[in-house]
Amino acid sequence: MTIKGVLFDFSGTLFRIEPTESWLRAILTEAHISLPEPELLRTAERLEAVGAQAGGAPPAEPLPEDLAALWAVRDRSSEAHRAAFTGVSRQVPLPDPRLHDALYDRHMTPAAWQPYPDTAEVLGALRERGVAVGVVSNIGWDLRPVFREHGLDPYVDTYLLSYEHGVQKPDTRLFALACDALAVAPQDTLMVGDDRRADGGAADLGCTVHFVDHRPVTERPDGLRPVLDLLG
């Protein structure tokens, strides 16, 4: 088998969101609000525990009933995505209620994201080998500016974002759309992601699937390089 196309997940695969503490510090600084350091750290810990940061840790505790149903479909529209994450965030008291929306807005900025150390190297190598590349993400906002800001957009041939199609992984329809956009058969496509359930759905379409660990950028310097060994 020869791989002719590679699909990548976004968060935890090609990029990693900033730590929760710096996320909170950024919006407090922008709002000219100061918190005592122990309170700031406690607040960041609580935001992380409830899963308030899109792209960050999942909720570590049960969701309130009024949010559970919305959470399950949060990636199908931009409205649901914002409502789900700001709803979860509001479980944690902040000095100004408007900061919950500010946190959500912050996570959509290129400054909040950092590519893994080998992302550019691997995407560049795929381009040199003539392998088509797509990004398939469960997300509620347009991530293309993140790729442009970090100079990686030239390596991506297509983006399939769940909120733009009303379909979220592991639904095979999203992977099928990506394969069609690349003009590559699923049997000749490799899906690379960090979520065994969501990204693993590509296997049901006939794609080969390879998983990476969703770890901090400093702890995963070369997690993507094995992809190049799988090309055949």
Side-chain angles (χ1 to χ4, degrees):
M1 177 190 68
T2 300
I3 297 297
K4 299 177 181 177
V6 181
L7 304 176
F8 289 96
D9 173 52
F10 167 56
S11 174
T13 300
L14 294 176
F15 282 81
R16 171 77 182 225
I17 191 73
E18 65 187 327
T20 312
E21 181 186 326
S22 64
W23 178 55
L24 176 59
R25 285 186 190 278
I27 64 102
L28 289 173
T29 299
E30 187 174 318
H32 305 289
I33 295 174
S34 297
L35 286 179
E37 187 68 9
E39 183 180 350
L40 188 151
L41 295 176
R42 284 195 301 270
T43 302
E45 289 175 2
R46 284 296 300 142
L47 287 167
E48 185 164 328
V50 300
Q53 186 188 43
E61 48 197 58
L63 291 168
E65 284 187 22
D66 61 333
L67 283 174
L70 179 62
W71 189 262
V73 297
R74 65 192 181 280
D75 297 313
R76 294 185 188 175
S77 73
S78 56
E79 295 80 10
H81 197 266
R82 178 181 283 273
F85 280 100
T86 56
V88 168
S89 174
R90 287 188 175 93
Q91 297 177 91
V92 181
L94 295 178
D96 185 329
R98 292 173 294 183
L99 293 177
H100 297 287
D101 276 305
L103 281 171
Y104 185 86
D105 292 338
R106 165 73 185 180
H107 104 275
M108 295 188 290
T109 64
W113 294 89
Q114 185 177 356
Y116 281 94
D118 55 349
T119 293
E121 173 192 339
V122 171
L123 292 181
L126 292 174
R127 178 51 54 99
E128 290 178 2
R129 298 186 190 190
V131 177
V133 170
V135 172
V136 184
S137 178
N138 278 353
I139 199 166
W141 50 276
D142 187 3
L143 52 71
R144 294 173 184 86
V146 176
F147 281 78
R148 289 196 291 267
E149 180 69 21
H150 289 277
L152 298 175
D153 182 63
Y155 301 126
V156 181
D157 297 294
T158 191
Y159 297 89
L160 270 294
L161 311 182
S162 60
Y163 83 101
E164 293 182 336
H165 299 275
V167 177
Q168 62 189 49
K169 300 180 290 186
D171 194 315
T172 57
R173 289 178 291 175
L174 202 61
F175 301 111
L177 287 168
C179 290
D180 288 346
L182 295 180
V184 176
Q187 293 76 16
D188 299 323
T189 302
L190 172 68
M191 174 66 207
V192 182
D194 67 297
D195 188 320
R196 279 164 170 71
R197 178 179 177 275
D199 300 314
D204 294 332
L205 189 66
C207 302
T208 301
V209 180
H210 175 72
F211 295 108
V212 295
D213 293 328
H214 187 155
R215 299 171 64 185
V217 167
T218 56
E219 296 178 13
R220 210 195 76 190
D222 54 5
L224 291 170
R225 291 195 182 111
V227 169
L228 301 177
D229 298 328
L230 297 173
L231 297 185

